[in-house]
Amino acid sequence: MSLKIGIDVGGTNTDAVVVDADGKVVAATKSATTPDPFDGIKESLSKVIADVDRTQITQAMLGTTHPANAIIQRRDLQRVGVLRLAAPASLGVRPGVSWPKDLLETIMGPAEIVGGGNEFDGSEIAPLDEDAVRRFAGQCAGGQVAAVAVSAPFSPASNDHELRAAQILAEELGPDFAVSLSHQVGALGLLERENATILNSSLLGVARNVVAGFHAALLQNGLDIDSFLTQNDGTLMTAEAAAQFPVLTLGSGPTNSMRGACSLAGLSDALVVDVGGTSADVGILVDGFPRESTAAIEVGGVRTNFRMPDLISIGLGGGTVVRGEGTDVVVGPDSVGYGVVTEALVRGGRTVTLSDISTRAGRLTGFGDADLAGSVSEATVKSTLAWVDEQIRIMADRMKASRHALPLIAVGGGSHLVPDVVPGVTEVVRPENHAVANAYGAAIAEASGAIDRVFRYEDRGREACLEEARSLAIDAATRSGADPRKVRITAVQEVPLSYVPGQACRVQVKAAGPLIA
């Protein structure tokens, strides 16, 4: 029997599970996240494998908030040189346009727009200006920046100029100098893809620390096994790939919960509410995968276009602070976070939290002594829970794509706050092990691959183009570690480009499959 470990680091709790080959939870634990998150990972890991045969463990998966927190908190970010291969087509809009000033000052190094780039059909906008690329490399030498982000129009379809620019930069700056190429990071859409690539470059130092810390925690517990990190779309990438593309892990936490909820509840189409200690996220599952957002995603105030789940979030969790009395209560949005285990009234603390309210109402049991929260009046409990219930209803209504009613799966350590009846949903489902759904989602995640290209149907016909797109997506999933015998196409989208001649169509295909044993 082979076993897999899933770990998810949240703002309040670090959860870990051990799952067997059939997807059954063998062991699970939930620990408070520590000021140094790696201490929490080590603690959860040692607890969850304490009574497990370690020789049977073959893989470990990690979902972490490290990269996202680094951007939000503006810490540990590297300075980046930015090279756009697009002149003379895009000289009017500079890299970093509309970025928050503080983030721009933290990250942005030398930035240049040089000749190069391709049209949608592969024809050149202009030949690549190799001399300009070499001059730009000179600006980045001598420790001026830690990495370079390279982008070009339509590079997901025609990446020759980006690859050649990377080769020149390696010649000038050395083969080990970090270079992020936009066609490996984002989809079509130059500015958003460029932004994502710049963020990716700035996070490379954080990513190296995460991967090194994860490996150290595994080795400290005697586990020399394959390791993976979870991506924004609920699938996996190897730890080595995550060290190169950390931006693809920014939204992995909520996605892990949704995938875990889907499997634990045995439902493929449902609403999911994940309530932690700090926030609540609501998303929707379609055929077992989170529905992806069709809008550009902002990360730390920066507009990007990589794959992210369609979510609604609110500051509502077990550690959310409650102020006021009776009908004049104010809930959050601030939270005591992982300090809820010591600061909540029912744990002997002095802060009124939603965990205290839930304990007093009987929704939460076993967390603390309800008598310690005796100072909280019944009127306060009633009005606070009425507010919570209304917020859950509003988020569920906003997330639904139609008037068709769906079940609502409640997961996460703070899911006790979700009422048993929510208007507009068929039922509220609380599956076994729902409190560690995020770690479970990481443990059962699959490897995936995706392509986003523009095809001209008039050249070869629609079916031939779609078949090529499917083949490319399957190849990408196989390179990511999926078993080639079990890879399947999970999504195909066609967007006709009426403003482009030649029956051009943007085709997006995603493939996924279980990891090869």
Side-chain angles (χ1 to χ4, degrees):
M1 178 185 295
S2 64
L3 302 174
K4 297 187 291 186
I5 297 172
I7 301 174
D8 188 273
V9 183
T12 302
N13 292 302
T14 297
D15 302 338
V17 298
V18 176
V19 177
D20 67 17
D22 296 325
K24 180 182 178 182
V25 176
V26 175
T29 187
K30 181 180 285 287
S31 304
T33 296
T34 54
D36 180 352
F38 291 113
D39 291 338
I41 292 174
K42 292 174 184 176
E43 180 183 354
S44 294
L45 186 57
S46 61
K47 284 182 180 179
V48 81
I49 65 174
D51 299 318
V52 173
D53 183 357
R54 302 185 187 193
T55 63
Q56 301 297 318
I57 301 173
T58 59
Q59 296 167 334
M61 291 76 170
L62 173 69
T64 177
T65 57
H66 284 73
N69 289 341
I71 294 174
I72 293 169
Q73 298 172 11
R74 314 300 201 237
R75 60 175 173 78
D76 301 328
L77 299 174
Q78 296 183 157
R79 197 162 182 81
V80 178
V82 182
L83 179 63
R84 185 192 299 169
L85 317 174
S90 70
L91 295 172
V93 181
R94 300 289 300 176
V97 66
S98 76
W99 278 44
K101 183 179 179 181
D102 60 337
L103 186 60
L104 194 66
E105 292 174 348
T106 301
I107 291 178
M108 193 69 71
E112 295 290 345
I113 304 174
V114 305
N118 297 86
E119 299 286 1
F120 77 96
D121 59 359
S123 60
E124 288 187 343
I125 293 173
L128 178 62
D129 189 341
E130 297 191 2
D131 291 337
V133 176
R134 295 186 189 279
R135 289 194 297 271
F136 175 77
Q139 298 180 52
C140 298
Q144 296 297 314
V145 298
V148 170
V150 180
S151 59
F154 292 102
S155 63
S158 302
N159 57 27
D160 292 349
H161 283 194
E162 286 193 1
L163 292 174
R164 177 55 184 154
Q167 186 178 11
I168 294 171
L169 291 171
E171 293 170 1
E172 298 294 320
L173 299 172
D176 296 327
F177 192 87
V179 177
S180 294
L181 305 180
S182 75
H183 74 271
Q184 298 175 323
V185 174
L188 295 176
L190 175 61
L191 296 182
E192 291 85 359
R193 175 163 36 85
E194 180 180 69
N195 288 343
T197 309
I198 298 169
L199 289 177
N200 188 76
S201 295
S202 74
L203 289 167
L204 293 175
V206 174
R208 286 192 294 269
N209 290 337
V210 169
V211 171
F214 188 31
H215 284 162
L218 292 171
L219 292 174
Q220 184 175 312
N221 285 276
L223 298 172
D224 185 10
I225 57 178
D226 294 335
S227 56
F228 302 84
L229 270 72
T230 56
Q231 298 189 78
N232 303 326
D233 62 355
T235 59
L236 296 171
M237 63 197 313
T238 64
E240 291 71 24
Q244 292 182 290
F245 307 111
V247 76
L248 300 181
T249 71
L250 292 179
S252 63
T255 312
N256 289 341
S257 295
M258 294 182 67
R259 289 279 292 140
C262 164
S263 184
L264 289 171
L267 297 171
S268 59
D269 295 276
L271 294 164
V272 177
V273 56
D274 174 26
V275 189
T278 303
S279 63
D281 303 303
V282 173
I284 189 167
L285 292 164
V286 180
D287 293 330
F289 279 90
R291 183 177 68 194
E292 292 183 10
S293 175
T294 56
I297 299 295
E298 285 200 1
V299 179
V302 177
R303 187 180 175 91
T304 64
N305 70 345
F306 43 75
R307 301 190 307 272
M308 290 283 274
D310 189 6
L311 295 172
I312 298 173
S313 300
I314 187 175
L316 187 160
T320 299
V321 178
V322 179
R323 299 179 177 86
E325 280 287 333
T327 57
D328 295 326
V329 294
V330 176
V331 183
D334 54 322
S335 169
V336 296
Y338 55 77
V340 68
V341 295
T342 56
E343 296 188 36
L345 296 181
V346 296
R347 298 298 293 262
R350 298 185 177 182
T351 305
V352 182
T353 68
L354 283 179
S355 289
D356 296 308
I357 300 295
S358 192
T359 298
R360 286 270 292 161
R363 292 188 181 183
L364 175 61
T365 58
F367 179 69
D369 185 353
D371 292 339
L372 295 177
S375 60
V376 181
S377 68
E378 290 295 331
T380 299
V381 171
K382 183 177 179 180
S383 59
T384 301
L385 289 182
W387 181 87
V388 169
D389 294 353
E390 179 65 6
Q391 297 308 307
I392 298 292
R393 183 196 66 78
I394 290 172
M395 288 197 295
D397 278 349
R398 287 177 58 193
M399 182 51 60
K400 288 192 296 185
S402 68
R403 299 180 65 181
H404 177 65
L406 291 170
L408 175 67
I409 309 172
V411 296
S415 58
H416 52 85
L417 291 166
V418 180
D420 291 331
V421 177
V422 176
V425 304
T426 58
E427 61 176 327
V428 175
V429 181
R430 303 178 195 272
E432 187 178 3
N433 296 304
H434 64 272
V436 290
N438 43 12
Y440 184 79
I444 64 165
E446 299 178 317
S448 73
I451 69 106
D452 185 348
R453 287 182 52 180
V454 175
F455 291 88
R456 296 183 64 164
Y457 286 171
E458 71 172 12
D459 293 339
R460 291 179 295 156
R462 174 176 177 272
E463 288 304 321
C465 292
L466 290 180
E467 185 57 34
E468 180 185 352
R470 293 187 186 98
S471 178
L472 290 171
I474 289 172
D475 288 344
T478 303
R479 290 195 303 272
S480 297
D483 187 335
R485 298 166 299 176
K486 300 179 181 178
V487 174
R488 66 196 184 281
I489 299 297
T490 60
V492 177
Q493 288 185 319
E494 298 175 84
V495 182
L497 303 180
S498 57
Y499 54 89
V500 176
Q503 296 182 29
C505 188
R506 179 181 182 181
V507 178
Q508 298 167 290
V509 180
K510 179 179 175 181
L515 289 171
I516 193 166

